[in-house]
Amino acid sequence: MMQRFQYDNKIVNAYLMATIVFGIVGMLVGLIAALQMIIPGMNAAEWFTFGRLRPLHTNAVIFAFVGNGIFAGVYYSLQRLLKARMFSDALSWLHFWGWQLIIVAAAITLPLGITSGKEYAELEWPIDIAITLVWVVFGINMFGTILKRRERHLYVAIWFYIATWVTVAMLHIVNSMAIPVSLFKSYSMYAGVQDALVQWWYGHNAVAFFLTTPYLGLMYYFMPKAANRPVYSYKLSIIHFWALIFIYIWAGPHHLLYSSLPEWTQTLGIVFSIMLIAPSWGGMLNGLLTLRGAWDRVREEPVLKFMVVAVTAYGMSTLEGPLLSTKLLNSISHFTDWTIAHVHVGGLGWNGFLTFGIIYWMIPRLFGTKLYSKSLANAHFWIGTLGIIFYAIPLYFAGFTQSLMWKQFTPDGYLVYKNFLDTLLQIKYAYWLRALGGTLYLGGALIMVYNVWMTVKAGKLVANEDAEAPALDKAEVISDGGYWHRWIERRPVQMLVASFVLVAIGGAIEMVPTFLIKSNIPTITAVQPYTPLELVGRDIYIREGCYTCHSQMIRPFRSETVRYGEYSKAGEFVYDHPFQWGSKRTGPDLAREGGKRPDSWHYNHMYNPRSTSDGSLMPPYRVMYGNDIDVASIAAKIRAMQTLGVPYPEGFDQQAADDLRAQAQAIVERMEADTKGEIKADANKEIIAMIAYLQRLGTDIGKTAAK
């Protein structure tokens, strides 16, 4: 018996419009950040510095642009694949507005310096809780729709949606565990090596299960639709799905090669990263071969052009990523702009172009009209492609240049480029070309905005699209006939559980020994907790996003130990909540910065970097010279640290403020004496706390041997 119902296109359109708006915003912020790296004067205000805008850019692009794109595609495809309207219109809109409010909260808090200091997970604990609740709403709505479906089998795209939902929930909850200090401040529950492992287990798999698996689901739905061809291989899609979700979760440690992470964990990351090539390329080939017999249409249809380049970029990124996880290539690429190029081939090519293709395919159908201009869509394609080329290729050259210059010695055994700044100035041309590429890419997106606007004007939203399908016989749902994989395709709950088990295995095997086996993180008796003033300085360091340009991890390479000092040990970081190893060196490593330069150097450098480092691209941080140290919060911070196991003496929270003031005054007096009265600093200002933190870095090592 046929049943009549309606698809909810209104919610799909809302997500599409949010995707377009936040896409432009995220790209614009990225372009500004790129220009700030070559024009320091563009760091025009406290809330407008690179260190604060860079996390805003990554969050806007990942969670606002790509996130809304995921939800638009899922809400559109899920209804049609299941022959059912979404489970609840109210939940759909609660999900939509909840997600947009989270994005707005991020856009407000990150420029204000309210951050946890963990890459791709910078949002503070109240927003993290909101993300969890909204994600649960999405899950209820999705699974409610699956359970009331009129279609017997779950199509491959839905497998990826299910795995995405359960894995993102697990990643977010585990990585976000923190001890709140106040409404806008918390400390990660993990420290040092453990925090690094959890963070990059999350960070790598945020790429895997937010930027990849849901987009693979969208590829499996929209690419066959746009090409009017079936998926090339059903069996290959089965292998692609199960192998990908099992293997991906193990690969996070490849972000931490040559670090203080235990060697066995690094090796696991390498092995599973190499294994990732097979399922990733299986998925890419399944997508491209779906176009068999439709290549003539690719030349004519801009939608297919975008999708072909997107899937190709996915293949390139998923080959390059495993190769970069080998120790040989990682020793060259890590901390350089090579990694930035690699990430943006995936972001701009895979996520960006697939999103553009889906927008061009869906908008005419939602509004019952034709695309306003194929010519403009083709222009967008070629301009965007040029943007990717101008963005990525110069940064590849920059990455090679950085690594070679960092490692180059004279015949007498001295570093050729001892001054780190020499390297940065050598690649400044690449940063200009990167900005040109970003401008082209943004320009193409603005052409899309006009094209979409004119298409929308010519049509009318089909808010509730009529549809009909036969009612599903419940007996058929549990029937086990047919291909062996059909069993789990008809059982969404079992698929959810199986997906969770597969993704949980890798994380548990890598993390549990690191947390429970004490010998994996040997202690160093000389390493002591930060003083109250140093702790405040560290919080300011995190607030200003200094980790986006500076690392605190000296690798066991001769070039690094000669340049920076003794290589980093796991026991050095046991009181670092969160860790600050960084992932990019636009500035030098700071792990052994303490005691290398006088306090007055740091005082002058933070006020005007070019006064101490001619040609520096670092922005000034004059706000620290005007802001008073937040003494009132230090007692709560000490108590939070004690809760996390940092061994401050009992009752230390009550004397912490006096300790802070005494150390600050000592620094001021020392600076005044060293400069013969030229610098008369105010002991109450944030710059003094920052100096205290920088002068502490690495000074514990050498006092005693590891036990």
Side-chain angles (χ1 to χ4, degrees), residues 379-401:
H380 175 197
F381 170 78
W382 289 112
I383 292 171
T385 301
L386 282 174
I388 296 172
I389 292 170
F390 275 104
Y391 191 105
I393 292 178
L395 289 188
Y396 281 117
F397 282 105
F400 304 149
T401 301

Side-chain angles (χ1 to χ4, degrees), residues 103-115:
I103 292 166
V104 171
I108 294 171
T109 57
L110 292 174
L112 291 176
I114 299 171
T115 173

Side-chain angles (χ1 to χ4, degrees), residues 275-388:
M275 291 168 62
L276 262 178
I277 295 174
S280 297
W281 270 54
M284 177 197 69
L285 293 173
N286 214 9
L288 292 179
L289 290 174
T290 296
L291 299 176
R292 68 200 186 284
W295 289 105
D296 287 342
R297 292 186 58 214
V298 173
R299 287 193 290 268
E300 304 295 329
E301 293 294 332
V303 168
L304 290 177
K305 285 189 178 76
F306 278 107
M307 290 183 175
V308 167
V309 171
V311 175
T312 304
Y314 167 67
M316 291 170 61
S317 295
T318 53
L319 174 63
E320 185 183 23
L323 292 178
L324 290 179
S325 73
T326 62
K327 285 204 165 183
L328 173 62
L329 291 182
N330 184 274
S331 68
I332 300 170
S333 69
H334 195 50
F335 292 133
T336 76
D337 283 294
W338 184 348
T339 303
I340 308 303
H342 162 64
V343 167
H344 282 81
V345 167
L348 300 175
W350 167 233
N351 296 115
F353 266 36
L354 190 61
T355 302
F356 297 149
I358 290 171
I359 289 171
Y360 281 126
W361 190 86
M362 274 206 288
I363 285 291
R365 286 163 175 80
L366 292 179
F367 286 84
T369 186
K370 292 183 178 180
L371 183 65
Y372 172 70
S373 172
K374 281 189 178 181
S375 297
L376 286 177
N378 278 315
H380 175 197
F381 170 78
W382 289 112
I383 292 171
T385 301
L386 282 174
I388 296 172

Side-chain angles (χ1 to χ4, degrees), residues 613-631:
S613 306
D614 189 33
S616 173
L617 302 179
M618 176 178 159
Y621 288 95
R622 292 171 187 170
V623 64
M624 297 181 196
Y625 298 77
N627 287 354
D628 287 338
I629 295 172
D630 182 13
V631 180

Side-chain angles (χ1 to χ4, degrees), residues 50-60 110 115 122 545 547-548:
F50 176 83
R52 297 196 188 186
L53 289 189
R54 191 265 190 176
L56 177 62
H57 164 61
T58 55
N59 278 266
L110 292 174
T115 173
E122 290 92 349
Y547 63 89
T548 61

Side-chain angles (χ1 to χ4, degrees), residues 172-192:
H172 174 72
I173 291 171
V174 173
N175 190 51
S176 299
M177 299 296 286
I179 297 295
V181 175
S182 65
L183 183 61
F184 299 120
K185 179 63 183 175
S186 65
Y187 291 121
S188 172
M189 191 170 287
Y190 319 108

